[in-house]
């Protein structure tokens, strides 16, 4: 049975006990409602550590006031069952109720209902310390979700301080998030190896996401246009089409023809995430598109 810890001090004690035994600790941060993509991250973490911790915490700090935190799907019991099915298993699940101090008295670890830490949080005694990776978080998803990466970087910093892992695994589907965390770890001198695991896809090619459950069968079929168009773009680049504008236009056309609404479709340098006009080295084609009320992200690395 997986050990479940909700208290921060207990989590620290567990990690210190593992470290005293000379064991390397791997961490997979999640927001729960796990799918095969998350489980692949756990398997990757197992390859680089002796014990594996998975955190399950829906982070309110990365939701803006116009995003409904309450609609984020959850199935904690189902998550535990899935984690128990992973070869080698998971050693501990860190499942805190709340990681923010709201400055209103009482037990700081008790979840505060209907409160969201966001850019409009103005309680003078509440949480006010944020971690921000200034340049990497501005483009791509950062344009339409301005507080998202600030919230991600802050809560991951908290998790790193509490769990104290040697290795942390993030999925490349959230490519910008992975690069933001890598840069944060470098800049703040965390002694943690950050690993990016490849995108996990369903048999039809759709990138696995907790949001996929909200797609109707028709929307899901149309959403396949994202991966199909990215594969075509990668093939075209391999055949010599290195004009990014032409590649972008073909992907945008394919997705919009399928009924999707583009948030962004950009070809950027894999490390700096800055836009490029011509493919001259390793790039990544990143896409975010809406199908109905569901926003999906995907990407394709192109290494010429």
């Amino acid at each position: 049975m997986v050990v479940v810890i909700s208290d921060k001090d207990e989590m620290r004690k567990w990690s210190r006990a593992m470290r005293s035994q000379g064991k390397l600790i791997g961490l997979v941060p999640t927001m729960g409602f796990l799918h095969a993509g998350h489980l692949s991250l756990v398997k990757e973490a197992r390859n680089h550590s002796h014990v594996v911790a998975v955190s399950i915490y829906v982070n309110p700090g990365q939701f803006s006031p116009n995003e409904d935190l309450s609609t984020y799907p959850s199935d904690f019991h189902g998550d535990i069952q899935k984690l128990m099915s992973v070869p080698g298993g998971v050693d501990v699940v860190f499942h805190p109720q709340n990681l923010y101090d709201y400055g209103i008295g009482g037990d700081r670890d008790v979840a505060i209902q209907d409160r969201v830490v966001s850019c409009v949080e103005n309680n003078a005694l509440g949480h006010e310390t944020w971690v921000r990776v200034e340049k990497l978080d501005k483009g791509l998803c950062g344009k339409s979700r301005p507080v998202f990466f600030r919230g991600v970087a802050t809560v991951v910093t908290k998790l790193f301080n509490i769990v104290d892992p040697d290795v942390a695994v993030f999925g490349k589907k959230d490519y910008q998030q992975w690069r933001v965390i890598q840069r944060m770890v470098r800049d703040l001198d965390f002694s943690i190896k950050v690993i990016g695991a490849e995108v996990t896809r369903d048999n039809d090619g759709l990138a696995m996401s907790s949001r996929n459950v909200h797609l109707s069968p028709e929307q899901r079929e149309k959403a396949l246009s994202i991966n199909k168009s990215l594969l075509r773009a990668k093939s075209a680049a391999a055949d010599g089409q290195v004009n990014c504008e032409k590649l972008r236009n073909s992907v945008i056309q394919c997705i919009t023809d399928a009924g999707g609404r583009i948030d962004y479709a950009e070809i950027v340098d894999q490390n700096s995430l800055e836009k490029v006009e011509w493919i001259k080295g390793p790039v990544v084609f990143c896409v975010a598109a809406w199908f109905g009320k569901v926003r999906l992200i995907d990407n394709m690395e192109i290494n010429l």
Side-chain angles (χ1 to χ4, degrees):
M1 186 65 183
V2 179
V3 175
V4 178
I5 297 176
S6 59
D7 181 76
K8 289 180 279 189
D9 290 336
E10 286 299 316
M11 187 66 241
R12 289 189 178 99
K13 288 179 182 177
W14 183 92
S15 293
R16 287 167 183 165
M18 294 301 104
R19 184 153 283 109
S20 70
Q21 298 172 33
K23 294 181 178 179
L24 295 176
I25 301 170
L27 172 65
V28 179
T30 81
M31 295 214 300
F33 207 69
L34 306 182
H35 50 67
H38 294 107
L39 302 186
S40 71
L41 304 184
V42 175
K43 293 174 185 175
E44 184 66 24
R46 179 63 66 184
N47 292 334
H48 300 274
S49 56
H50 300 112
V51 292
V52 175
V54 172
S55 63
I56 297 178
Y57 178 64
V58 180
N59 174 33
Q62 67 194 56
F63 289 80
S64 65
N66 65 335
E67 295 175 325
D68 192 352
L69 174 62
S70 66
T71 64
Y72 197 88
S74 65
D75 179 16
F76 184 70
H77 177 73
D79 290 344
I80 296 299
Q81 295 302 310
K82 291 173 183 175
L83 291 174
M84 289 175 63
S85 73
V86 177
V90 170
D91 298 278
V92 65
V93 171
F94 181 44
H95 184 50
Q97 289 182 300
N98 179 48
L99 288 179
Y100 294 90
D101 191 328
Y102 291 89
I104 58 177
D107 187 346
R108 65 180 182 176
D109 289 329
V110 174
I112 308 300
Q113 298 298 319
D114 302 321
R115 291 293 305 278
V116 175
V117 177
S118 72
C119 59
V120 297
E121 183 68 39
N122 57 10
N123 186 329
L125 298 178
H127 183 92
E128 62 173 326
T129 304
W130 300 97
V131 178
R132 186 140 218 173
V133 180
E134 293 289 345
K135 291 183 180 179
L136 284 184
D137 76 357
K138 282 186 167 56
L140 303 175
C141 285
K143 289 183 179 178
S144 59
R145 306 187 72 189
V147 303
F148 178 76
F149 290 111
R150 182 191 74 169
V152 168
T154 300
V155 83
V156 171
T157 295
K158 285 173 167 285
L159 291 170
F160 284 175
N161 284 333
I162 296 167
V163 181
D164 192 20
D166 299 282
V167 176
V169 181
F170 293 82
K172 284 188 181 182
K173 184 180 79 69
D174 300 288
Y175 202 91
Q176 186 175 14
Q177 173 178 277
W178 169 51
R179 290 305 195 189
V180 163
I181 297 303
Q182 277 190 323
R183 189 66 55 85
M184 179 191 81
V185 163
R186 184 201 73 178
D187 291 352
L188 297 184
D189 293 313
F190 281 103
S191 182
I192 299 171
K193 182 179 181 180
V194 177
I195 295 172
E198 298 302 324
V199 179
T200 304
R201 301 183 182 277
D202 280 323
N203 292 334
D204 57 10
L206 187 67
M208 290 187 178
S209 169
S210 299
R211 292 186 176 89
N212 292 352
V213 68
H214 296 303
L215 293 168
S216 69
E218 181 182 5
Q219 288 170 340
R220 183 188 173 88
E221 184 66 26
K222 292 180 176 179
L224 298 180
S225 59
I226 299 176
N227 183 46
K228 289 178 181 177
S229 63
L230 287 174
L231 284 171
R232 290 192 196 119
K234 183 174 183 177
S235 178
D239 289 339
Q241 177 55 273
V242 293
N243 184 309
C244 293
E245 188 64 23
K246 291 182 178 180
L247 293 173
R248 286 183 66 253
N249 289 340
S250 67
V251 167
I252 291 171
Q253 186 70 48
C254 181
I255 294 173
T256 54
D257 284 350
R261 178 165 54 90
I262 296 291
D263 183 351
Y264 64 77
E266 301 289 351
I267 300 176
V268 299
D269 179 88
Q270 288 185 14
N271 292 302
S272 70
L273 302 186
E274 293 182 355
K275 292 182 187 178
V276 297
E277 296 181 4
W278 300 88
I279 300 177
K280 299 178 181 179
V283 298
V284 57
F285 200 146
C286 298
V287 170
W290 292 86
F291 286 86
K293 295 182 179 180
V294 183
R295 182 179 180 273
L296 300 176
I297 62 172
D298 202 346
N299 66 78
M300 190 74 63
E301 288 182 326
I302 300 175
N303 300 295
L304 298 184

